[in-house]
Amino acid sequence: MKDSISKASEIISRSDYVVAFTGAGISAESGIPTFRGEGGIWSRFDPEKAASAEGFLRNPADYWKLFKDERFPVMRSAKPNPGHEALARLENSGKLRAVITQNIDGLHQMAGSKHVIELHGSAKSAACLKCSKKYAIEKVYEQLAARDVPLCLVCGGVLKTTVVLFGEPLSQEALRESFLHASSCDAMLCIGSSLAVYPAAGIPHIAVDKGAKLIIVNAEPTPLDSAARVVLHGKAGEILPKIM
Ligand SMILES: [Zn+2]
C-alpha cells in the first residue's frame, strides 16, 4: 500500500494536467447511501418508479416522496470528507483541471472544487418541465410541506430535480467537456467508481487510450484495474490525503 501511494504521488507530481473521475464510493464515505449493492437504495425502492423518466411523468408524487423522506434529509446533513477536500486542494494548486463526477450531491463544490462536471446532473436544484426555470432545492423542499408535487412559481409547471433519470440522456455538454478533458490529461484519478456504468465509464477508457496514466482508488476491483498504473483498494478519505 505504501509503495502504491508513493507511486501515485509521483505520477501526480510529474503531471501538469490531472483530471479526477468520481463515483458513489466517495459520497458513501460522507454518509450518502449508494444506489446499487447490498443495502443500496435500489434494494429498497423500485428504480422504475422512483428514478425513471417515465415513472416520474406518470407519478411525480412518488419521486418527490422518496426525495423528501429519504434523499433530501441525508443530503442536507452530509459534509465533504477528506477525499473531497484533497481534490479541492489539488485543484487550488493548479494541477487538477476538472472533477468529472457521477454524483449528484454537490459535495465536491461544498469542499471547494470549482470546476466540477456533473454527468448525472444535480439534486441541489430543480427545474420546471414547462418553462425550464431553475430553483434551489431548499426552496422546492419548502413547497413539499404543503403539496406532494412542487410547482413552478412562474407558470405552474411540474418541477423535477436536475438529476438525470433512467431513460433520459446525459447532458451532451457535460459529456463533450468530459471527453475533452479525458483526451487531454496526463493522469486521471478514478475514485469510488465501479467503472461499470456506461457511458460515464467510457471516460477513463478514453484517457487510457490517449496515453494518460490511470490511478484507481476504489473499495472493490474494477474492470479497468489491469489498465491502471496504480490501483489502491480502500477509502478515498484515507488514501487521497496521503497521496497529496
Ligand atoms: Zn415554469
Side-chain angles (χ1 to χ4, degrees):
M1 179 71 112
K2 216 174 160 195
D3 280 356
S4 303
I5 284 175
S6 30
K7 204 168 154 195
S9 337
E10 199 183 308
I11 291 171
I12 288 171
S13 70
R14 287 189 182 163
S15 304
D16 296 321
Y17 194 139
V18 181
V19 170
F21 178 87
T22 68
I26 190 165
S27 293
E29 291 173 38
S30 287
I32 307 260
T34 55
F35 288 92
R36 293 174 174 75
E38 212 177 311
I41 290 170
W42 300 149
S43 66
R44 288 172 293 127
F45 292 92
D46 176 7
E48 177 55 37
K49 229 171 132 183
S52 78
E54 217 181 295
F56 181 85
L57 291 175
R58 219 170 23 233
N59 189 1
D62 272 0
Y63 173 89
W64 281 111
K65 184 172 170 27
L66 168 67
F67 191 84
K68 182 186 168 192
D69 295 348
E70 176 114 358
R71 308 299 314 280
F72 189 74
V74 171
M75 251 181 35
R76 189 185 230 174
S77 61
K79 298 272 178 294
N81 64 62
H84 295 105
E85 286 157 5
L87 292 178
R89 283 200 302 278
L90 194 64
E91 182 177 346
N92 264 331
S93 79
K95 269 190 192 291
L96 185 75
R97 306 288 184 94
V99 177
I100 302 167
T101 188
Q102 296 169 284
N103 301 332
I104 56 172
D105 48 47
L107 288 176
H108 285 297
Q109 291 91 330
M110 216 189 281
S113 289
K114 288 175 192 76
H115 197 151
V116 182
I117 302 170
E118 294 176 308
L119 284 175
H120 295 164
S122 171
K124 295 294 224 185
S125 61
C128 171
L129 292 182
K130 260 194 199 160
C131 76
S132 305
K133 183 176 166 54
K134 272 196 163 190
Y135 294 87
I137 206 65
E138 296 282 345
K139 287 283 160 208
V140 176
Y141 189 74
E142 285 168 14
Q143 279 202 46
L144 288 174
R147 54 165 66 100
D148 293 342
V149 176
L151 300 176
C152 177
L153 302 177
V154 178
C155 78
V158 168
L159 301 185
K160 180 187 135 321
T161 62
T162 51
V163 172
V164 177
L165 300 183
F166 293 122
E168 287 181 318
L170 302 194
S171 140
Q172 286 306 306
E173 172 68 22
L175 275 178
R176 196 189 51 77
E177 210 188 334
S178 303
F179 290 155
L180 194 66
H181 282 298
S183 23
S184 317
C185 65
D186 308 321
M188 183 176 276
L189 271 161
C190 293
I191 303 148
S193 170
S194 63
L195 303 180
V197 180
Y198 283 83
I203 291 163
H205 273 283
I206 293 175
V208 173
D209 287 347
K210 295 282 182 177
K213 299 179 180 76
L214 206 62
I215 299 167
I216 295 179
V217 179
N218 197 43
E220 310 283 336
T222 79
L224 267 171
D225 283 7
S226 58
R229 296 293 177 101
V230 183
V231 177
L232 289 147
H233 288 147
K235 290 189 167 176
E238 288 164 14
I239 292 171
L240 290 181
K242 286 182 189 157
I243 296 178
M244 309 308 166

